[in-house]
């Protein structure tokens, strides 16, 4: 059983398009995250949600809109895709968001914008 | 904001030998947690080890151990008896509530 899953694993699209990435966790966690890993492999937090409520929005352009329909799901919708959005996007989850908790990561979604 | 610095972009080690990865961080907080994550070529992020700042004892997990120097704000990772499967990128991370702040990563290559 996959603990944190993401779909799709790969996404190739044209500039200007809108796309979504889905994330699901079956760990019973309350907190979910989106991280972006750029071409230099640098990882940075984008959003954190706790119990479906937005906790952290780390100065991400408003073309990115996360949505959490329930505690087990956190989707990422991206409007008007730009070349600079090309990256690997990781979803993660943890029990309640506390700093002592291990975050469990999904397999990542590689997005390529042409 | 916390900053995490990994000063070694790449390291190479012979199978069965030991390699140490360095990590320093900057924070004004007194209680915090530090993590090492591993990212093999499969891209999956895997927890290696974690350390609580209040604990004097260095964390160990099998062949992985840390040298945590709180005053120096240093958190190095030692991989003993390196195996081919240890080839990966290793990220040091500082944990706040609701987010991890990562270093730039160190690529470790284990040579047969």
């Amino acid at each position: 059983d996959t603990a944190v899953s993401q779909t799709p694993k790969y996404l190739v699209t044209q500039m200007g398009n809108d796309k979504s990435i889905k994330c699901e966790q079956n760990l019973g966690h309350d907190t979910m995250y989106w991280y972006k890993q750029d071409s230099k492999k640098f990882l940075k937090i984008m959003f954190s949600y706790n119990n479906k409520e937005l906790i952290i929005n780390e100065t991400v352009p408003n073309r990115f809109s996360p949505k959490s329909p329930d505690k087990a799901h956190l989707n990422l919708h991206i409007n008007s895709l730009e070349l600079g959005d090309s990256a690997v996007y990781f979803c993660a989850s943890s029990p309640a968001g506390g700093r002592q908790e291990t975050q469990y990561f999904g397999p990542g979604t590689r997005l390529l914008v042409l | 904001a916390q900053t995490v610095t990994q000063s070694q972009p790449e390291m190479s080690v012979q199978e069965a030998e030991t390699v140490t990865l360095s990590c320093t961080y900057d924070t004004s907080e007194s209680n915090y947690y530090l993590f090492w994550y591993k990212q093999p070529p499969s891209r999956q992020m895997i927890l290696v080890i974690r350390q609580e700042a209040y604990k004097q004892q260095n964390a160990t997990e099998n062949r992985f151990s840390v040298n945590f120097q709180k005053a120096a704000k240093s958190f190095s990772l030692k991989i003993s008896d390196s195996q081919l499967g240890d080839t990966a990128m290793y990220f040091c991370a500082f944990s706040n509530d609701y987010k991890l702040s990562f270093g730039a990563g160190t690529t470790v290559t284990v040579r047969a």
Side-chain angles (χ1 to χ4, degrees), chain A residues 19-20 49-50 59 69 82 89 95 99-100:
Chain A
K19 288 293 178 187
S20 292
Y49 267 75
N50 186 59
T59 61
E82 300 177 357
Y89 292 85
R99 63 187 62 191
Q100 75 280 8

Side-chain angles (χ1 to χ4, degrees), chain A residues 48 97 99-100 103 105, chain B residues 29 37 39 44 50 95 98:
Chain A
S48 300
R99 63 187 62 191
Q100 75 280 8
Q103 292 187 18
F105 284 78
Chain B
E29 300 186 26
Y37 278 86
Q39 187 178 40
Q44 180 71 51
R50 74 172 200 170
S95 183
Y98 301 109

Side-chain angles (χ1 to χ4, degrees), chain A residues 37-77:
Chain A
Q37 186 172 42
D38 64 22
S39 58
K40 295 183 178 175
K41 304 284 188 173
F42 187 69
L43 272 156
K44 188 171 165 57
I45 184 75
M46 299 175 70
F47 301 104
S48 300
Y49 267 75
N50 186 59
N51 204 5
K52 303 192 297 175
E53 289 195 15
L54 179 67
I55 304 295
I56 286 181
N57 177 344
E58 200 79 350
T59 61
V60 178
N62 56 16
R63 298 183 297 104
F64 290 79
S65 51
K67 284 192 172 53
S68 181
D70 55 57
K71 290 195 305 184
H73 296 84
L74 180 61
N75 304 323
L76 184 64
H77 187 75

